[in-house]
Structures are given as C-alpha cells and as structure tokens.
Amino acid sequence: MKKMQRNIRKTICMTLMVLTILCSFSIDSKAADAGKWVSEGNNWKYQLEDGSYVKNTFRMIDGYKYYFDSAGVMAKGWFYVGTRTSSDGKVYKNWYYTSAGGKILTGWRLIDGVWYYFYLDGKMAADAVVDNGKYYVNSKGAYVGKAGTWQKNTKGWWYESADTDRFWSLKYGRYVNYPSNDVVLIEGKYYGFDRNGYMVRGWYDFGWSSNGQHIYVWYYFNRDGSGADGWQQINGKWYYFENGYMFSDTVVEGKYYVGPNGAYVKTIPQANRTNGAWKQNSIGYWYRYADGTYPKNERAKINGAWYYFDGNGYMKTEWIKVDGVWYYHIPTGSAAIGWYKVDDIWYYFGEDGAMYKNTIVDGYYLNNSGACTGKIPPTTAIDVK
C-alpha cells in the first residue's frame, strides 16, 4: 500500500505538471469573461461584466475549472453533472470533487480515507483500470487494488486476475473480465493472449473470418510478451508497430510507405493526391491520400468540410487554434459552421470555421472570447458583419 501511495503521489505531481503546461497555452481567449466573485452568505457566485451570473455550467477562471449550479452557486465538495453509459450498458453518474475553494480536482485524491481517481476533465473514474493500467477502482470510484499476478505452467504464461480485475481491450475497445484471444493493457504495457488465455510471443493473427474470407490483423510481441512499438527489423525486413499492432498499406511518420504485408517499401506509390480515404487505429482517425501521404499539423478540406490534423496526422476535435484564429471541431471532426453551442455558450463560425469575436452577428454581440452575450454594447467601434 505504501508503494501504491508513493506511485499515486508521483502520478499527482506529473498530472499537475501536465495541467500547468496545458493551462499555459490553452487558457487565453477561451477563458471566462472578465468578471468578479460575489459572496452570498456561505456561497460564492461569479458575476460577468454584463451583470449576469454564470449558471448551470463549468467555467475556467484564472486557469482553474469551477462548476456553478442552476442558481449560480459554486459547487463545493462532491457533486455530479449528468450521466454516462459504459460499453456494457451500465449507467454511471458523472461525479466530481472540488477543493475547499471550489477548484475541480484531478488525478489521485485521498478523500475520507479512500483513494479516488479523477480524469483530466475532472470526472471520477468508476469500474475502470486507471493510471496506465496499474490500478482498479470499483463502481463507486474507490481504489480496490493492483491487478493480479503472472503465472506459469508447462504450456506457458497466463495472467491470474483478482475478482475485481478489469482489462482494457485493444481489440474490442472496451473493458473485459478475462484476457482471451485479445490484446489487453496490464501495468502500462499491452500483451496478447491466445484463445486459451496464454500469453503469445512473436507474430500472432488476431483476425477473424467473414463470408468465408479470413481478415488478417497481425501483431508482433517481444520476448517478454509486450507489444512491439515503432520500427522493428524482423527477418531482414522493417515493420512499424503500435502496441503490437502492425501497420500495413499506409505511410508512417509522413514519409515511409509500408506495403499490404506490412514490410517497408522504399518507393512510395504515386497517385492522385486529391483522392483518399479515412483510416483508423487504436489512437484515432487520419486521412490517407491515394499517393500514401496524409495531412498533418494543418487544416484540410475533405468532401466540403474542414478538418484539423495534429503533428502525427490524427484528426482533432473541440477547440483548435491555428495562426491566432480559433476553430471548433464537432465530435465527427468537421469544423463548426454558423451558430454553434459549446458548454452552454453560443459562438458563431464563418464558412471556413473561423470563430467571430468583437463583432455583431444577426443582432447579437460576440465579445473578445467569441461568446454571445445577447447584448450589444454602447459603442460604435464595432465591425458589423
């Protein structure tokens, strides 16, 4: 338990460092409007410059996240907002916990003698393996214990799990109770298990058959059973892996093409770059052009809609800032156009997805953060669109 507590404290420090970095570049024009704290007895509210109060929403204020209920009162201690449904159909309340000053907490927290884990958005983890696959928290969010132990017999290695263990399945994209014919996360690494539950090494096909045809999905596992990562030379040929998964018929790192069998091909096939197709792996979606290249660290217009791809070529959603201009990408990835509501605040976006600010649209004023206040300020120095 002492070792677990030391690991938790280390994780908390790392989480705080990440949050500090994130806050340093993401909380500027999307921060809360200029306002002030107002006390009413033992309660606190946040009043905006137009005299209204923040209500029924989360709000970033001076780099910290707060929640205000329908009466505008800042939440303190335990509270929940909405529900979520797990992959196995269970419904959980979205619980949060704040400091005494109302700041929503993240990472590991010891509350009334019980350890809980809160994700970066503040939601409490429940019935999940957290902290890179190291620890399990039950349906009430309480830390239960570390995952089980490795065992060996004459047939090979398998993982003996505790009754409370749940494993994150890379194959199914959900939690499973027992690793069998699957690739699962155990203490920060992915391992493959055959149909009998034994750990596999080397090449292994996790494919399936459909309509009489077999679909191959190749993985490669190191001598210790963990999934291979990055470039690996096997029998004189170079392959690229991610958590054991072999990439095939795609471009890796923006310039290296691996063929249908996964082996590196020196010459990238040339084709019409205007055509392409969406691709997906365990990390997310990307768009591959017909010539094998793909957009990265840029905005790209695909089938009439705008998308943004990060430095690794993966499609991003939510708020994106490019060359000083803010865009918001909806869950499907395309940029919001026209009026769009984000966290209970209305914004307006142009045809290319650019957010409008310090202007009037359809008779509504958009302030410096782009938020619609519903009130036109008494000034003529406004560029009316």
Side-chain angles (χ1 to χ4, degrees):
M1 185 61 183
K2 290 182 178 178
K3 182 178 179 181
M4 181 267 183
Q5 291 179 348
R6 287 198 300 269
N7 290 338
I8 288 175
R9 293 190 182 98
K10 182 178 179 181
T11 301
I12 291 173
C13 292
M14 294 181 68
T15 301
L16 291 175
M17 289 174 63
V18 172
L19 288 174
T20 300
I21 294 172
L22 289 174
C23 290
S24 67
F25 62 79
S26 64
I27 303 171
D28 45 25
S29 65
K30 295 273 76 65
D33 299 339
K36 62 180 180 179
W37 289 99
V38 177
S39 64
E40 292 185 359
N42 295 323
N43 298 322
W44 285 93
K45 296 184 175 182
Y46 195 75
Q47 187 177 39
L48 302 177
E49 55 188 355
D50 64 357
S52 64
Y53 289 91
V54 177
K55 295 181 180 181
N56 218 27
T57 188
F58 292 94
R59 198 75 171 184
M60 296 299 296
I61 302 173
D62 297 329
Y64 295 99
K65 188 175 183 179
Y66 299 84
Y67 183 77
F68 299 88
D69 64 19
S70 58
V73 176
M74 180 193 74
K76 289 190 291 186
W78 286 106
F79 71 96
Y80 77 90
V81 179
T83 61
R84 67 184 185 278
T85 303
S86 65
S87 58
D88 54 3
K90 295 180 180 178
V91 178
Y92 297 98
K93 293 179 179 179
N94 293 321
W95 284 100
Y96 299 81
Y97 190 77
T98 76
S99 67
K103 300 181 180 68
I104 294 177
L105 302 178
T106 61
W108 285 105
R109 300 288 170 174
L110 183 62
I111 305 170
D112 295 330
V114 179
W115 284 100
Y116 297 87
Y117 186 83
F118 299 87
Y119 296 115
L120 287 178
D121 63 357
K123 290 188 183 74
M124 181 195 75
D127 190 22
V129 178
V130 299
D131 199 357
N132 206 18
K134 296 179 181 178
Y135 307 106
Y136 176 74
V137 291
N138 63 22
S139 60
K140 295 183 179 180
Y143 162 73
V144 174
K146 198 172 181 178
T149 58
W150 286 99
Q151 302 290 336
K152 185 181 181 181
N153 61 16
T154 56
K155 294 183 179 180
W157 289 92
W158 82 94
Y159 196 75
E160 185 176 48
S161 60
D163 293 337
T164 56
D165 277 350
R166 298 292 298 279
F167 302 92
W168 177 254
S169 166
L170 194 62
K171 180 178 178 181
Y172 298 106
R174 58 180 171 81
Y175 288 104
V176 296
N177 293 316
Y178 179 74
S180 174
N181 193 34
D182 203 351
V183 182
V184 300
L185 181 66
I186 299 176
E187 297 186 24
K189 294 182 179 180
Y190 281 95
Y191 296 86
F193 295 86
D194 63 20
R195 295 183 183 277
N196 295 314
Y198 287 100
M199 184 189 78
V200 298
R201 296 187 179 96
W203 289 107
Y204 198 85
D205 172 32
F206 282 100
W208 65 89
S209 296
S210 177
N211 298 323
Q213 182 178 5
H214 186 74
I215 308 299
Y216 290 93
V217 182
W218 286 103
Y219 282 75
Y220 189 83
F221 299 93
N222 301 314
R223 292 177 61 86
D224 66 353
S226 62
D229 274 307
W231 288 104
Q232 302 282 338
Q233 189 176 31
I234 303 172
N235 296 331
K237 296 182 179 180
W238 285 97
Y239 300 84
Y240 191 84
F241 302 93
E242 183 179 277
N243 298 324
Y245 172 76
M246 182 195 77
F247 281 56
S248 62
D249 190 25
T250 189
V251 174
V252 177
E253 297 178 347
K255 53 184 176 181
Y256 303 109
Y257 177 74
V258 290
N261 65 351
Y264 164 64
V265 179
K266 293 184 178 180
T267 303
I268 297 178
Q270 297 299 315
N272 185 354
R273 194 173 188 267
T274 59
N275 297 321
W278 286 100
K279 300 289 183 178
Q280 182 186 21
N281 61 14
S282 61
I283 297 178
Y285 289 90
W286 78 94
Y287 192 81
R288 182 168 70 87
Y289 294 113
D291 64 356
T293 62
Y294 58 90
K296 63 177 184 176
N297 204 28
E298 64 176 296
R299 302 183 72 228
K301 194 172 186 179
I302 301 172
N303 297 327
W306 284 97
Y307 297 82
Y308 182 81
F309 301 87
D310 66 16
N312 294 315
Y314 289 104
M315 181 192 79
K316 306 299 290 183
T317 59
E318 301 188 345
W319 288 108
I320 303 293
K321 190 176 185 180
V322 181
D323 296 329
V325 179
W326 282 98
Y327 304 84
Y328 188 85
H329 292 261
I330 65 178
T332 58
S334 62
I337 304 296
W339 287 104
Y340 195 83
K341 197 175 186 179
V342 182
D343 294 334
D344 292 327
I345 298 175
W346 284 100
Y347 297 84
Y348 188 85
F349 303 89
E351 294 182 358
D352 63 347
M355 183 194 76
Y356 282 26
K357 64 178 182 177
N358 291 328
T359 189
I360 297 173
V361 177
D362 298 335
Y364 295 95
Y365 175 63
L366 306 175
N367 64 19
N368 188 56
S369 294
C372 174
T373 65
K375 179 181 178 181
I376 300 177
T379 177
T380 57
I382 297 294
D383 178 21
V384 180
K385 298 293 184 181

